Amino acid sequence: MSFLGIFWNNQEIRMRGLIRLILVSALVFCSYWLASEICLSIPNDYVYYLSEELITFVLTIILFVFAFKFVDKRNLYNIGLLLNKQWFISFIHGSIIGFVVIAANFIILLGSGLIRLEYAFASDNSYNFLLEFFGRGIGFFAVAVSEELFVRGYLLINIAEGLTSKMFSQKNSIIAALFITSIIFGILHYFNLNATVVSSVNLIFIGLFFGYAYVKTGSLALPVGIHFAWNFTQAQIFGLNVSGFTPLVSIMKVKVNDNSLLTGGSFGPEGGLFILVSVVLGLFLVNLITKEKNVKQPKSYFNIKTSITKYPQTI
């Protein structure tokens, strides 16, 4: 192999998989840094977070359109981003699942006395409550799309594709990629405020849940919907911290018990052991909804219909 061959695959006429992963991942982190730098001078927390999320969203979309077309040489259709009627229906299904599993976690915490309600309609009073409430919804949607595009839409596909060989079947490569990207998902959240080892391990399982929704359907619609509703329901409806961040506006205001091993403490429910109940329930609901709604799912358990198999899904 020539020196150039270390970086370039002449048969595929594109950069080698590992080089693509390093390049695109570096650009993703640069986009996060750039968004943060642009918003650094914004004094209001609400405006700062929403601006940062929206700028990151725009930069991420531009980046991945470029990455899939010119770096990977595949289109967004291949990763389950065909924005048709079925895609939005699947997104709604995911949002329902996300709400239900977090509501279940809230009921467990409330019923066990680990949290208590204090009052309703909490806000930092920067703007109108409804304006802030829906604004945070937009922000959480932007976060869900950005993270799912990167972790599931890009990393999972490329890692699975890179692992596939005569010695490593497509099915096994996808299973391995699902676990690898889930571990990456957990590690990335370790750098959030108030993160712990328990929260990072929990987020690996949460990553498996989100990733499974992608693997099960071959579409980003379901995991984006779950991810969006998961965060939005925790913060904006129940007033719980999300991955270390305190909600600025919420329908409910709660007081959390000091038992951080179960509640997650300052990190939020994702840092507590009870969140694993939501993960198990979520996996069950993903199986249920993909069967009852006649989703055009892959024949085998981990056989994603993307460019890995050359037969993209239409969902």
Side-chain angles (χ1 to χ4, degrees):
M1 181 185 292
S2 64
F3 177 76
L4 182 61
I6 298 174
F7 304 94
W8 188 261
N9 189 318
N10 284 323
Q11 290 182 331
E12 298 178 357
I13 318 177
R14 61 178 181 173
M15 286 184 284
R16 294 197 177 276
L18 180 60
I19 305 302
R20 297 199 309 270
L21 285 172
I22 293 172
L23 174 63
V24 173
S25 296
L27 290 174
V28 167
F29 291 122
C30 283
S31 70
Y32 276 87
W33 171 82
L34 181 58
S36 180
E37 287 295 308
I38 292 172
C39 300
L40 202 58
S41 61
I42 300 176
N44 182 276
D45 285 344
Y46 176 82
V47 178
Y48 169 81
Y49 285 118
L50 182 56
S51 300
E52 184 183 42
E53 289 158 351
L54 292 178
I55 292 172
T56 301
F57 171 77
V58 172
L59 292 175
T60 301
I61 295 297
I62 294 172
L63 169 60
F64 283 110
V65 168
F66 170 80
F68 279 103
K69 186 173 183 179
F70 298 106
V71 180
D72 280 38
K73 298 193 175 180
R74 50 176 141 238
N75 57 56
L76 295 178
Y77 178 88
N78 293 126
I79 64 164
L81 268 182
L82 180 63
L83 301 182
N84 55 15
K85 179 180 177 181
Q86 184 59 53
W87 195 95
F88 288 102
I89 291 174
S90 189
F91 169 79
I92 292 171
H93 291 162
S95 298
I96 292 171
I97 291 174
F99 170 79
V100 168
V101 297
I102 292 301
N105 180 260
F106 178 79
I107 291 170
I108 291 172
L109 291 173
L110 188 66
S112 60
L114 291 172
I115 61 173
R116 70 172 186 271
L117 294 175
E118 291 193 325
Y119 54 90
F121 302 107
S123 171
D124 65 350
N125 297 314
S126 296
Y127 303 97
N128 176 272
F129 178 85
L130 286 178
L131 179 65
E132 289 192 358
F133 183 80
F134 287 109
R136 290 310 307 137
I138 294 171
F140 277 127
F141 176 77
V143 169
V145 173
S146 299
E147 292 189 4
E148 292 306 310
L149 256 176
F150 177 44
V151 180
R152 256 63 67 173
Y154 194 82
L155 293 183
L156 196 151
I157 281 182
N158 277 282
I159 292 172
E161 189 176 66
L163 291 174
T164 302
S165 64
K166 292 181 180 179
M167 300 296 294
F168 212 62
S169 68
Q170 289 178 346
K171 176 181 177 181
N172 289 335
S173 71
I174 294 171
I175 294 173
L178 176 59
F179 278 91
I180 291 170
T181 52
S182 298
I183 291 170
I184 292 172
F185 189 69
I187 291 173
L188 290 175
H189 285 81
Y190 183 73
F191 300 98
N192 286 18
L193 295 171
N194 306 308
T196 64
V197 173
V198 173
S199 69
S200 293
V201 172
N202 283 348
L203 277 153
I204 290 174
F205 286 106
I206 294 167
L208 283 169
F209 168 35
F210 294 169
Y212 176 70
Y214 179 46
V215 167
K216 183 71 173 177
T217 62
S219 170
L220 282 174
L222 199 63
V224 166
I226 294 171
H227 197 152
F228 158 71
W230 177 284
N231 289 345
F232 183 79
T233 303
Q234 280 185 96
Q236 269 43 82
I237 296 180
F238 297 129
L240 297 163
N241 288 8
V242 177
S243 299
F245 295 97
T246 303
L248 299 173
V249 55
S250 60
I251 292 177
M252 301 180 191
K253 179 68 175 178
V254 299
K255 176 68 175 178
V256 180
N257 189 291
D258 290 333
N259 192 336
S260 59
L261 183 62
L262 296 177
T263 66
S266 299
F267 190 81
E270 294 162 341
L273 295 180
F274 279 151
I275 200 65
L276 297 179
V277 175
S278 295
V279 172
V280 173
L281 176 60
L283 291 170
F284 169 77
L285 291 175
V286 167
N287 268 323
L288 184 66
I289 204 166
T290 51
K291 289 178 181 178
E292 292 197 349
K293 298 302 180 182
N294 296 316
V295 175
K296 295 180 180 179
Q297 59 192 29
K299 291 182 180 180
S300 62
Y301 192 71
F302 282 97
N303 184 20
I304 299 180
K305 300 293 189 179
T306 65
S307 58
I308 296 173
T309 57
K310 311 299 182 185
Y311 299 104
Q313 276 283 22
T314 56
I315 182 174

